[in-house]
Amino acid sequence: MSLLPREHPVHKGLIFLSVLIPTTLAFLTSNSTVVLQSIITAALAINGSLSSWMTIIYLLGPNTLVPVANRIADRFGYKKIFCLGVAFFTIGTGGVGLSREFLSLAASRLLEGVGAVLIFPLSLALLVKEFSKEKLGIDINLYLALSLTIGCGFGPIFSGYCAMHFVWNTAFLSLLPFCLLTFVLGCICHEETEKIYRGAFDIRGFFLFTCSISLILVALSEGNLPSTAEGWRSPYILSCLSCFCF
């Protein structure tokens, strides 16, 4: 149960903020890594061929879990899975900021990506469940406009400023208070939804889908990099594309 009554004048505003903030932060961190990639590579002494994996690993979560995020939420409850996504994102963001070598950075980026993929689709679903149909279009458009504008537009500026005047990990550690605020808002403002069982989960199909998406993502990301020998004709890239097709 929500600690605030649904009729409370600030209830809808808090609901909106609880989904807007984490979505904005997810867009912001995805853009921050692109801007900070060379700085992080130098600071952590990462091999040049591995630097692109900072972005690839983050994208693995959204590209593989988006199709099943709502199914998981139907089974276990939207509030629970949304808060779990915020928790994953918070831990991953903090882990990125505290990383001192590539393996911890990669693991943190993966956890951050998994959190982001649970946040975005479930935020839209929670808006649909909480807001009236008459104003739902305006609310969703405002939600998307603000999150994309602030996250994608302000992200590169914010990360560049942190790198110039502080250290690179400030761009991630400074987001933790907002992540924690979102987690608290999610816990106290949202009501748990009814759990729906939609039959057995196709684990084999999901595994094959995850492998396929991972292979094509790696091939498209690495194929045109100077560090990839022979580029698109590289046996490594051709093997990824072949396995994706079959």
Side-chain angles (χ1 to χ4, degrees):
M1 288 290 293
S2 169
L3 296 182
L4 292 173
R6 297 179 65 86
E7 297 77 14
H8 197 283
V10 300
H11 178 75
K12 296 296 185 184
L14 292 177
I15 289 286
F16 189 79
L17 283 178
S18 72
V19 299
L20 174 65
I21 295 174
T23 306
T24 302
L25 295 181
F27 285 127
L28 193 149
T29 54
S30 65
N31 284 275
S32 295
T33 310
V34 175
V35 175
L36 298 172
Q37 181 170 309
S38 59
I39 298 174
I40 297 175
T41 299
L44 301 185
I46 298 174
N47 186 290
S49 61
L50 295 176
S51 60
S52 62
W53 281 89
M54 284 186 283
T55 302
I56 295 173
I57 289 176
Y58 182 82
L59 294 176
L60 282 177
N63 282 281
T64 56
L65 289 176
V66 161
V68 299
N70 283 80
R71 182 184 175 91
I72 295 172
D74 283 339
R75 181 69 181 87
F76 298 100
Y78 278 75
K79 175 182 177 179
K80 182 183 297 183
I81 300 302
F82 174 77
C83 291
L84 183 64
V86 174
F88 283 166
F89 183 81
T90 302
I91 296 171
T93 300
V96 172
L98 297 174
S99 295
R100 292 295 178 265
E101 40 83 28
F102 177 74
L103 288 179
S104 61
L105 176 67
S108 298
R109 286 293 284 173
L110 180 61
L111 187 61
E112 195 177 34
V114 171
V117 75
L118 294 177
I119 288 171
F120 182 67
L122 299 190
S123 293
L124 288 172
L126 288 170
L127 284 178
V128 172
K129 293 177 183 297
E130 293 287 347
F131 287 82
S132 63
K133 294 182 179 180
E134 292 76 14
K135 297 183 178 180
L136 184 60
I138 297 175
D139 295 326
I140 290 180
N141 288 332
L142 183 61
Y143 159 75
L144 292 174
L146 288 176
S147 59
L148 285 168
T149 301
I150 300 174
C152 298
F154 182 66
I157 299 173
F158 172 73
S159 56
Y161 180 86
C162 290
M164 289 180 61
H165 298 279
F166 304 102
V167 290
W168 67 268
N169 52 9
T170 307
F172 296 93
L173 295 178
S174 61
L175 303 180
L176 293 181
F178 299 98
C179 295
L180 294 174
L181 171 63
T182 298
F183 183 80
V184 173
L185 288 176
C187 290
I188 67 174
C189 293
H190 293 286
E191 294 185 352
E192 189 56 275
T193 58
E194 180 182 355
K195 298 177 177 61
I196 304 173
Y197 180 68
R198 299 187 183 276
F201 184 72
D202 185 5
I203 298 177
R204 180 173 177 270
F206 177 67
F207 174 76
L208 292 175
F209 173 78
T210 300
C211 292
S212 298
I213 292 297
S214 301
L215 288 168
I216 192 62
L217 180 62
V218 169
L220 294 176
S221 300
E222 298 261 299
N224 62 344
L225 294 180
S227 57
T228 302
E230 301 181 52
W232 292 104
R233 297 181 179 179
S234 168
Y236 166 58
I237 299 300
L238 292 176
S239 297
C240 290
L241 291 174
S242 300
C243 291
F244 168 76
C245 293
F246 292 101

